[in-house]
Amino acid sequence: MKKALLEKFRITFGRTPEIIARAPGRIEFIGNHTDYNGGTVLGAAIDRGVWVALAPRADGRWRFATDQRPGIVEVAAGKFAKRRGASSWVNYPLGVLAALRAFGLAVPEGFDYFAVSDLPAGAGLSSSAAIELASAFAYTGMTGETKAERETLVKVGRHAENNFVGVPCGILDQGVSGFGRKNRLVFIDCRGPKFATVPLPAGAHFWIFNTHTKHALVDGLYAARHRECMEAAKTLGVPLLADVSPAAVVAAKRKLSPVAFQRARHVVEEIARVDATVVALRAGDLATVGKLLTASHRSSQTLFENSTAELDFLAKTLAATPQVFGARLTGGGFGGAVMALTSEKFGAEQAEKVVAAYAKKFGARPDVLHAQTGDGAKRIQA
Ligand code: GLA
C-alpha cells in the first residue's frame, strides 16, 4: 500500500510526501448500540485500512485527493464549510481539522493530502473512523503535536464524526481503530472512556459477509435509535441506559412504551453479553463466545429492530454451519455486513456454500472477507 500511495501522491501533486499515517477498519465483535448508552463493547481492528500522506504547502491551501474519487478538492486553510455531493468525502479529513482546533491542538496551515484505502467502503467496517484516525495521526505528525495522546486523537475522530459529519455515533469505531492490536480484541468501557485489550484465543477466525444492502434512511434510523435510547433512560430516571440492570428494566416495563422497553432491554442485556464474552474469551471458551454472538444478533433482530432480512438470513445460515461458533450483524445495522467467528476449519468452500444459498434467495452475491486482526493507528516512515 505504501508504494501505491507514494506513486499516487507523486502523480497527483508532483512531489513526495513528508508524513504518512495509517489507521485500520474495525469489526464490531459484540456490543451493539451499547457505546453511546455508556456501556461496554468489544471490537477488533483488522489488517485493512486507510493510509494518508501529507506534504506541507506554504500558500495556505488544503488540497485533498483520494484513490476512491477522481479530482482534487481545494479548500482555503481555515474554511470549515461542510461539502455536499461528490466532494463530501472531504468532510472526514476536514472534520478532523475542525476537531483539532476545537481541542486546542495545532492545525496545519497548508498541505497536499492523499488517502488510499484497501478497506471496502459501506461494509460496516468503519472506513470513516479509519480515515479520521489516519488523518489525525498525519496532521499531528506534520504540526509536531506528537504529544497528543492516542486517546485524544480517538476523541478528535469521534468529535469530527459527531459534529462535522453529523452522525451521533459513540466511541466504538474510533476507539478500536486507535487502540487495536494484532491477535487482541479492544474492550471499551465507553463511559470513561477506558480502553483495554483482551487476547483473542488461538484458532479463532473472522469472516465478514457484506450484503451491499443499505437502508436508504440508515443515518436517520441510527439517530432515531439514539433518541429512543435517551428517552428510555429519561423515563427510567437515569442519565444513560448503562445505569440500569436488566432486572430493573424488566421491573420497570409498565413505565415504558412497548418500543422503549424493547430498545432498553436490548441495550442492557447486550452490555451483560459483552461482559460474559470477556469472561469466556479469557477462558478460551469459543463455543460460549459464539452463543453470545448469535444471541446478540437475535436481540438486534427482535428487540432493537436494526437487522434486515438479508442480515438475518446470513446470521442464521452461518450459525447453523458446523465450523462456525456464532454470527451476528456488525456495526450500526439496517444493512451492511454479518461477521462470523469460526474455527480454522471454515474455509473458502464453506463460505461459498453460504454465498450460494444467499444468492439463490436474494439474487445477489455478498462479498466475503477473511479478516485478520491488526494494529491500531500509527505514523509510518515516509
Ligand atoms: C456504528 C457507530 C458506533 C456504534 C455502532 C453500533 O458503527 O458508529 O458508534 O454505535 O454503530 O454498535
Side-chain angles (χ1 to χ4, degrees):
M1 279 306 271
K2 184 176 162 190
K3 217 169 131 213
L5 176 61
L6 292 172
E7 178 67 2
K8 283 176 180 145
F9 197 97
R10 196 184 53 73
I11 292 169
T12 309
F13 299 117
R15 52 199 300 227
T16 49
E18 284 185 11
I19 309 280
I20 294 180
R22 175 198 175 272
R26 65 99 187 90
I27 297 168
E28 176 190 284
F29 188 70
I30 190 166
N32 193 246
H33 289 255
T34 54
D35 58 358
Y36 57 80
N37 286 301
T40 49
V41 60
L42 279 165
I46 60 170
D47 58 344
R48 293 182 174 229
V50 174
W51 300 60
V52 166
L54 277 184
R57 295 179 64 85
D59 61 357
R61 310 298 293 174
W62 292 336
R63 300 206 302 165
F64 300 95
T66 173
D67 65 344
Q68 310 288 302
R69 299 268 188 297
I72 298 177
V73 183
E74 190 163 330
V75 176
K79 280 256 177 295
F80 290 111
K82 201 172 159 181
R83 321 277 309 194
R84 312 218 172 264
S87 65
S88 59
W89 73 272
V90 167
N91 290 331
Y92 296 102
L94 208 50
V96 171
L97 291 162
L100 286 173
R101 196 180 58 165
F103 277 64
L105 295 166
V107 173
E109 280 165 15
F111 54 73
D112 289 330
Y113 170 113
F114 202 99
V116 297
S117 171
D118 60 359
L119 195 61
L125 297 172
S126 208
S127 51
S128 55
I131 191 171
E132 286 156 2
L133 268 287
S135 300
F137 274 74
Y139 296 147
T140 47
M142 174 171 274
T143 57
E145 196 85 74
T146 43
K147 288 187 309 304
E149 286 180 12
R150 188 164 289 273
E151 184 169 331
T152 305
L153 298 185
V154 162
K155 289 177 181 164
V156 161
R158 179 183 176 196
H159 189 277
E161 186 87 39
N162 288 168
N163 300 291
F164 201 84
V165 180
V167 180
C169 70
I171 195 78
L172 164 69
D173 307 342
Q174 293 79 14
V176 174
S177 184
F179 282 91
R181 268 177 62 193
K182 193 161 176 51
N183 298 325
R184 299 182 82 88
L185 296 174
V186 179
F187 173 81
I188 311 176
D189 182 341
C190 303
R191 211 194 290 263
K194 285 201 195 77
F195 303 92
T197 61
V198 182
L200 182 66
H205 287 254
F206 294 119
W207 288 77
I208 313 289
F209 294 77
N210 177 15
T211 64
H212 290 287
T213 59
K214 192 176 166 181
H215 201 291
L217 302 171
V218 64
D219 287 351
L221 287 165
Y222 184 90
R225 289 297 178 276
H226 186 278
R227 206 172 46 241
E228 288 163 0
C229 289
M230 297 307 146
E231 280 166 12
K234 206 166 158 202
T235 310
L236 292 167
V238 290
L240 292 167
L241 285 177
D243 294 313
V244 276
S245 67
V249 171
V250 171
K253 183 170 180 185
R254 277 197 297 155
K255 273 205 219 163
L256 295 161
S257 71
V259 166
F261 175 68
Q262 283 184 216
R263 307 298 187 246
R265 199 172 146 206
H266 167 79
V267 170
V268 295
E269 290 182 357
E270 184 75 352
I271 294 169
R273 274 189 290 271
V274 172
D275 299 339
T277 302
V278 172
V279 173
L281 284 167
R282 292 210 184 279
D285 181 358
L286 290 172
T288 298
V289 172
K291 286 198 186 101
L292 290 159
L293 299 180
T294 302
S296 163
H297 184 85
R298 183 100 190 109
S299 178
S300 287
Q301 185 183 347
T302 58
L303 296 176
F304 210 66
E305 296 177 290
N306 61 332
S307 188
T308 61
E310 289 87 348
L311 298 175
D312 291 344
F313 179 83
L314 283 174
K316 199 170 160 199
T317 309
L318 282 158
T321 303
Q323 305 83 356
V324 174
F325 295 114
R328 60 180 293 274
L329 70 84
T330 180
F334 308 109
V338 163
M339 171 212 83
L341 179 72
T342 78
S343 74
E344 65 277 354
K345 296 204 184 80
F346 188 94
E349 195 187 311
Q350 285 74 21
E352 180 51 34
K353 276 195 191 140
V354 176
V355 168
Y358 181 97
K360 199 165 158 216
K361 188 162 168 76
F362 296 103
R365 289 171 63 84
D367 279 344
V368 180
L369 180 71
H370 181 189
Q372 315 289 329
T373 54
D375 285 331
K378 59 178 168 228
R379 293 180 199 92
I380 285 161
Q381 192 65 40

